[in-house]
Amino acid sequence: MIHDPYPIIDSHIRFYQDNGFIKLKQVLDPDTISHYGEEITRKVRELNTLDVPMEERNTYQKAFMQVTNLWRTSDVVSQFVHGKRLAGIAASLMGTESVRMYHDQALYKEPSGGFTPWHADQFYWPLASDKTVTAWIPLQATPLDMGPLAFSAKSHRFTYGRDLPISDESEQMIQKALKMEGFMMYEEPFELGEVSFHSGWTFHRAGPNTTEHPRKVMTIIYMDGNMRLKEPENDNQRLDQETWCPGARVGEVIDTPLNPILYP
Ligand SMILES: O=C(O)CCC(=O)C(=O)O
């Protein structure tokens, strides 16, 4: 199923382009989630380096355990991120002929894990256009008390706060600005098999996990197959360039072994 086309229709594309995100149901079936989810969780346990007790962590550390580019460490995860179903959805939503890997990351919000502050991802990325989309793939049904991803609809065109890294400051300042401007917040549970897609400049956050179970999530960050590297504008972008596309050159298409074409 990871390669079967998903029935994307025009209204999905319009919704995504108007709102900067979309949630789609029945993208993955329970067997597929359980098969790949088991391996993703095994790799998260093996590779996680965050072992500070919850009460001593800062806001970012409380939000989730973060393990990146799992596809480079596991053939099974590599198979998953090379799936054409999710990558095909990404291409349709962005309106690009092809999509490449930017990177993947598992984001596990532990029981009693804190909220994820408001932010926009593209602040971190040295990418020349906004043709980027993150597939946020929960590995279980995710009710409101587990911290499902929430979006500020239409905020991908709002430029205030784009320069704020994930922090207590971004939570407060972006929250206030979005409220003042009248943006609608969309926060709903995820059914098993439901996946969201959000654009690089869409503001998003997640509530805390107050359940006794970890909120297990895999993400795949896709970019236009013709994405070019831009001159990094901050230290985060310089670090991202070295980490996610080493060897790519400013002004050129990002075509390194870490950034394979995933679709078509
Ligand atoms: O999973 C979370 O809590 C945050 C996810 C996120 O910010 C992202 O995938 O861009």
Side-chain angles (χ1 to χ4, degrees):
M1 121 165 278
I2 61 167
H3 297 300
D4 294 345
Y6 183 87
I8 279 282
I9 52 176
D10 285 351
S11 62
H12 290 142
I13 298 172
R14 268 200 309 276
F15 184 95
Y16 173 81
Q17 294 193 347
D18 280 355
N19 290 286
F21 76 96
I22 191 167
K23 289 174 74 170
L24 298 172
K25 293 183 195 288
Q26 294 177 1
V27 176
L28 298 172
D29 65 28
D31 287 348
T32 304
I33 294 174
S34 146
H35 174 71
Y36 291 104
E38 231 168 74
E39 172 72 355
I40 291 165
T41 297
R42 196 178 70 77
K43 295 306 297 185
V44 168
R45 288 211 184 100
E46 181 191 320
L47 300 171
N48 169 54
T49 53
L50 179 63
D51 59 1
V52 184
M54 192 60 84
E55 56 282 4
E56 289 170 26
R57 295 184 196 176
N58 63 29
T59 298
Y60 192 104
Q61 292 170 325
K62 278 184 183 147
F64 39 65
M65 279 166 27
Q66 182 176 22
V67 182
T68 55
N69 262 2
L70 295 173
W71 74 281
R72 301 287 290 173
T73 70
S74 156
D75 289 344
V76 177
V77 182
S78 178
Q79 229 176 52
F80 182 67
V81 306
H82 281 83
K84 294 199 187 304
R85 186 170 175 88
L86 291 165
I89 297 173
S92 300
L93 295 176
M94 290 192 291
T96 59
E97 276 176 20
S98 61
V99 302
R100 272 182 203 281
M101 170 62 115
Y102 184 43
H103 61 90
D104 73 36
Q105 51 188 2
L107 297 170
Y108 278 37
K109 204 183 271 296
E110 293 160 85
S112 83
F115 66 96
T116 308
W118 282 109
H119 67 282
D121 302 326
Q122 203 143 340
F123 163 71
Y124 290 91
W125 301 342
L127 305 178
S129 88
D130 61 359
K131 299 260 181 211
T132 57
V133 62
T134 299
W136 195 84
I137 310 155
L139 303 173
Q140 71 288 300
T142 308
L144 287 176
D145 55 1
M146 215 180 229
L149 201 59
F151 308 92
S152 175
K154 304 187 193 293
S155 63
H156 56 312
R157 300 205 182 87
F158 186 51
T159 52
Y160 173 86
R162 285 185 173 184
D163 56 345
L164 295 173
I166 302 179
S167 57
D168 290 322
E169 189 193 9
S170 74
E171 171 72 1
Q172 279 170 23
M173 294 185 66
I174 295 169
Q175 169 126 298
K176 194 167 154 204
L178 293 171
K179 218 172 187 174
M180 265 175 57
E181 296 290 323
F183 287 101
M184 295 263 295
M185 179 171 171
Y186 187 95
E187 184 176 36
E188 295 289 336
F190 283 64
E191 286 176 8
L192 187 65
E194 192 168 3
V195 174
S196 68
F197 294 82
H198 65 270
S199 175
W201 285 120
T202 303
F203 287 105
H204 53 285
R205 84 183 289 278
N209 180 4
T210 58
T211 74
E212 289 168 0
H213 306 283
R215 187 214 66 181
K216 302 175 184 172
V217 169
M218 178 65 172
T219 64
I220 305 174
I221 301 158
Y222 300 98
M223 58 184 174
D224 182 358
N226 291 317
M227 183 62 79
R228 290 173 192 276
L229 188 72
K230 73 171 184 185
E231 188 68 49
E233 288 170 8
N234 57 45
D235 286 346
N236 295 293
Q237 294 186 8
R238 269 181 281 280
L239 183 64
D240 257 38
Q241 173 182 2
E242 285 161 23
T243 312
W244 308 128
C245 37
R249 293 154 73 112
V250 171
E252 293 182 8
V253 171
I254 301 172
D255 183 13
T256 85
L258 291 194
N259 312 107
I261 290 282
L262 299 177
Y263 183 86

